[in-house]
Amino acid sequence: MIALKDIAKIADVSISTVSNVLNGRKNVGRETRERILRICEEYGYDTSGAGKKAKAGQSNTVLFIFSDFDRDFYMKIIEGISDCLTENGFNLVVCTNKSSADFMRASFAGGAICLDGSMTDAFLAEVVAKEMPVVVMDRIMEGGQANAKSVVVDNYPVMCELVQALVDRGMKRFGYIGGMSHTLDNKERFAGFADTLANNRMTFDQKYYYHGNYRENSGYQAAKLMLLSNDLPDVVVCANDSMALGAIKAFEEHRVRVPADVSVTGFDDSAIAEMAGLTTVAIPRYESGYIAAKKLLELIGGQAAETGPFKMGASIRWRKTVK
């Protein structure tokens, strides 16, 4: 997917210049304008949404709401959201759950993208009922609200693929470090993990399930508990990269070799995971942000949301933490 920043790089101009051209502003010279439009056509860049504005009397500001500063993958998501909104002449305000409720009103924002597990479905439904379009990225909105859309990762099939590959590599005893149990991500990832083991007629012992909260320290503590049991599994599958890196830190402190003594996998493919050589599942974070913003703009423009959530595919990155 070619993005606004790619068009700007090819044309050797700023992103704001490309945005001005696509939104019909007159502050760009004719030669530059024609060059940008020619590049868009050559690379198949969709300009059909260019110049789209908020409805009369509606704010052209969009909120992105999230709750956890500890996870670096938010930056790519925000980049994707920002590029899409900039292309279409909308502004972006990034806020956390502590301040978001104050901003989620039509007089301030034309719509919101929510990636905040602490914001309840009931509150979001109330916001949507007041005719503020909302796209959620961490759950599937129930009830079929006409002014809401879900953009989520398709966790289940890629987790099945990962666990099946581990089984095929000869792994027999599996450990699992889960995230917060109420989250859609953890439910789907564990379901893929457990179902794949069952399909291979392998029994998963619940004593090897350790609860975490997606933060590195919870993975560290889970691995410490495994070490105390003196009964390590062949592989520890973690519901995200931060917990996997915490587990590896604990193992290394006790001179347990990864992957010679125990293999470890993550989920997300954060920048630090790549540097650490962590086997993980790569989520298209930039693309998910871009698509979430695109779906929100469709709602703001009055287009009915398609039935069901938009699910993003993911892929495995095999690295040195699996033998």
Side-chain angles (χ1 to χ4, degrees), residues 19 52 54 60 62 79 86 92 109 135 148 157 164 223 226 228 232 242 267 300:
S19 176
K52 189 185 298 180
N60 71 336
V62 165
E79 183 182 0
T86 301
L92 173 64
V135 171
Q164 185 60 56
M226 292 182 201
L228 288 172
L232 287 178
S242 294
F267 208 110
I300 292 173

Side-chain angles (χ1 to χ4, degrees), residues 71-103:
R71 301 170 69 188
D72 68 341
F73 69 76
Y74 280 112
M75 296 310 299
K76 281 292 184 183
I77 294 172
I78 292 171
E79 183 182 0
I81 292 171
S82 179
D83 282 354
C84 183
L85 295 180
T86 301
E87 293 167 21
N88 289 280
F90 279 71
N91 303 314
L92 173 64
V93 171
V94 178
C95 56
T96 65
N97 60 330
K98 292 183 179 179
S99 59
S100 56
D102 295 332
F103 295 130

